[in-house]
Structure formats: structure tokens, C-alpha cells
Amino acid sequence: VQTCALPIFKSALNVDPDNAQAAILRATEPLGSRVLVEACNGPGKTFTIAVAALRHLERYRPSIVVTMSGGFRQMKTQLWKEIRLKASTLKNTRHPEWIIAPKSPRIETGKDDWFMLGFAADDVDTIEGWHSPHLLFIVDEAKAIKDELWNGIDSTLTDDRNKLLIVTVPGSPNAEPHTRIHDNLIKHIRIIPRQVANEQGIRESEGLYFSDRISNTWLETYKTHYGLDSAIYKQRVLALAVQATENPYFNDTIIKAMFSNWREFKGMGDGLAIDWAQKKDFTVVTEWKSQFGKMFRNAQGDILHTQKDYMKVVGEDRKSVV
């Protein structure tokens, strides 16, 4: 086992986490830690996960770090893009033996019991079987993980030293992972924009941290577009687990129709975007425009409504808009 204090690691990676990010890193420090982070959009969650993952991999030999993302695109183009970037720095300065796979989410060290890998949450069989005295299991965008997969995640944590880090924008209060806040082993961290905290007179406390990384423009857009009382504002800005009254996803039948009749949906401007990176999960990222509602109706003839998905438009934002 090799020790690696946070200040040393910050210097090695040339990173400077803010208070909220540092709180996550501190919480994942103890062996056997179980941490649930529910955060607003934009506080640097991906950055923090990458730092936590690489810090663990460097600190413990042997060790295994497993990252699991709610979607293929999230894993490939966001989380592992950040991990590879920072891992390259460590390879060049401290770990020339590391082999960073350029296309697959994997870092090898030359040792069978010392590596990092990532995958999307679409196969429970992939989850099970990863065991190490120093295992760190990270779940990114955890609200998108199906309920049946959580048993598989928990089954990997067979050693009292194993760690679990769950990071997400909150979803339903009655579903995983939010229901885990009732577990005495879980350390719950909530992150909200500092601007909102200042407006409401909220003070930072143990378990509640403020981020300075949220733009005023983004906040004002959400206030205006969704309203302060909307579920989506409470989830993505206030980091509260609330029951959304609207389904943020189209149902599978509609999505399959979109893919099988793709040409019919051209010319919709910025009304619809699809996660083109991984067609099989049928994830839709959309800002629903009422004038397009007539194109999709249920069996009773009611117009189908939806809201923006929690993730950004795939690729470089507007490129996949049809």
C-alpha cells in the first residue's frame, strides 16, 4: 500500500479543487467509505470523480477502480475523457508503467490485481465479479441506473475496506440512489450554487457545500424557463430529490419509431436531439417544443410532453440536433 496525501496529489495533477470538490475527496478518503453526492448541474462532478479514481489507483497497490456510468456517452465522452487526460499526466510524471487504452475505458499497470476500468450500466453481469481488498466502485449519473443493478453493485463490496462513491443530480425521492441516505453507513453530500445559497440565506454546513462554478446565465435561464417551484429546478439547481410530474424520457415505442423512420423527423430545428453515440439505450436529450407535440400522441390522442434530459446534447452540443 502506498500513501498519497491530497496536497501531494493536487501538486502532481496540478489541480485545485474548490470546497465542494474537496469535501467529496475527503469523504472518500477512509477505507470502507460509502459516499452519496447529490449535486446541481455544473459543479465539476466529472472532474472530481476522475481525481478520486486516479488518487485511489495510485494510493493502493493492489487495487481495482471500477467506474459505472448511467449511459455509454456519459462514460466514453465525459468521464473517461477526463480520466485519460489526468492519467496521462501521472503516467508522464510518476507512473511510466501505466498503459492507458486510447479507445476502451481501461488503465493497466502491468499487474493483474492493479487496474481501472469503466462501463455503462446496461449489463448486471458486467458489474459482478470485481473483487479486491482495495476496490473503489464509482457510480456516475446514478439516477439513471436501473433498480435491479444496485444489488449487483452492492455484491462487489465484499471487503470492509471497499469504497463506494455515488454521484448524481437528484431524481426521485423514492428510488435509488436517494433512498440510501437512510443508511447509517452513507455519508450524504449535497452541492448547490453559491448564488442560490446567498439569495436564500443558506449557510454552508457539514454535508452541504456551495459551488462557485455555476454561471448566472444558466441559473437565470432555469428560473425563467422552468420556474422556482418546478421539479426540474429543484432537482438540477437546488439538488433536491423530488418527484417530477413530467417524464423526462420518451417511451421506447416512440424512440424506436424515431430511429426506424429517421428521415421523417428532419427539419425540427432545435426541437429534438438524440444520443446518437449509443442507439441501443434510446436516450433522448430534448427541449420539447409545443409545435412538435402533435407529431407524437398516445393511444387516447393526448399530446405527449417531456422535459430536457439531465445530460447534455451528445457530442459537441448542437451537432446531433436534427
Side-chain angles (χ1 to χ4, degrees):
V1 176
Q2 174 186 349
T3 60
C4 179
L6 181 57
I8 298 173
F9 198 77
K10 286 166 61 177
S11 175
L13 279 181
N14 191 28
V15 299
D16 186 21
D18 61 20
N19 285 346
Q21 294 168 323
I24 298 173
L25 296 174
R26 287 194 301 270
T28 58
E29 175 77 11
L31 292 174
S33 61
R34 304 285 190 273
V35 182
L36 168 60
V37 180
E38 293 185 308
C40 60
N41 282 119
K45 297 188 293 293
T46 301
F47 161 90
T48 309
I49 291 172
V51 172
L54 289 166
R55 183 183 177 209
H56 185 92
L57 186 69
E58 183 180 58
R59 182 171 190 175
Y60 298 107
R61 308 179 191 178
S63 67
I64 298 174
V65 179
V66 178
T67 74
M68 178 180 180
S69 299
F72 178 82
R73 179 191 58 80
Q74 175 74 13
M75 180 269 293
K76 182 178 180 181
T77 66
Q78 294 188 34
L79 178 56
W80 270 84
K81 181 179 180 181
E82 189 78 24
I83 288 175
R84 285 193 187 93
L85 179 65
K86 289 178 171 48
S88 295
T89 299
L90 291 176
K91 177 180 174 65
N92 293 335
T93 58
R94 297 159 72 101
H95 293 288
E97 76 278 15
W98 283 11
I99 302 171
I100 306 169
K103 294 184 179 181
S104 63
R106 194 172 182 97
I107 297 175
E108 302 282 358
T109 66
K111 304 291 184 181
D112 292 340
D113 56 1
W114 188 31
F115 60 89
M116 183 189 302
L117 78 159
F119 56 90
D122 57 1
D123 185 359
V124 67
D125 294 332
T126 310
I127 299 172
E128 299 173 348
W130 306 112
H131 300 292
S132 168
H134 294 291
L135 169 71
L136 170 60
F137 202 110
I138 298 174
V139 188
D140 185 25
E141 289 298 341
K143 68 182 178 306
I145 306 300
K146 296 178 180 178
D147 286 348
E148 58 265 28
L149 298 185
W150 286 100
N151 286 335
I153 294 171
D154 291 334
S155 72
T156 66
L157 307 174
T158 56
D159 193 293
D160 289 342
R161 293 165 289 184
N162 292 164
K163 302 179 183 181
L164 175 65
L165 172 60
I166 304 168
V167 182
T168 190
V169 171
S172 169
N174 303 315
E176 294 272 19
H178 181 75
T179 52
R180 294 185 172 232
I181 66 171
H182 305 298
D183 185 339
N184 292 331
L185 297 178
I186 287 283
K187 181 176 180 59
H188 182 226
I189 292 176
R190 180 176 161 226
I191 301 174
I192 65 174
R194 186 177 298 276
Q195 304 97 305
V196 173
N198 291 340
E199 290 173 3
Q200 299 185 10
I202 302 173
R203 295 191 176 186
E204 201 167 64
S205 60
E206 179 66 25
L208 176 63
Y209 299 92
F210 305 152
S211 174
D212 295 307
R213 300 175 182 271
I214 317 302
S215 76
N216 288 322
T217 301
W218 182 85
L219 284 172
E220 288 303 316
T221 299
Y222 263 63
K223 286 181 184 178
T224 303
H225 191 79
Y226 296 106
L228 298 177
D229 293 328
S230 67
I232 195 169
Y233 181 87
K234 292 176 180 177
Q235 288 175 337
R236 298 192 210 172
V237 177
L238 301 181
L240 294 173
V242 297
Q243 189 67 49
T245 57
E246 295 176 310
N247 184 354
Y249 302 100
F250 292 104
N251 62 46
D252 284 354
T253 301
I254 292 175
I255 304 306
K256 290 175 181 177
M258 290 179 185
F259 284 117
S260 60
N261 301 290
W262 184 247
R263 293 181 180 274
E264 295 182 14
F265 301 97
K266 295 292 184 182
M268 291 178 66
D270 60 357
L272 179 69
I274 291 183
D275 189 339
W276 198 250
Q278 187 74 353
K279 298 180 186 179
K280 69 179 182 181
D281 63 11
F282 301 122
T283 302
V284 171
V285 187
T286 179
E287 183 67 43
W288 190 248
K289 302 292 185 179
S290 60
Q291 62 264 39
F292 301 128
K294 63 181 183 295
M295 299 186 70
F296 303 107
R297 295 177 181 268
N298 61 20
Q300 290 72 41
D302 300 321
I303 293 175
L304 297 173
H305 295 283
T306 187
Q307 62 191 32
K308 208 169 191 178
D309 185 21
Y310 296 104
M311 298 183 187
K312 294 179 181 177
V313 174
V314 65
E316 298 179 9
D317 289 334
R318 315 312 300 176
K319 282 192 175 181
S320 53
V321 173
V322 298

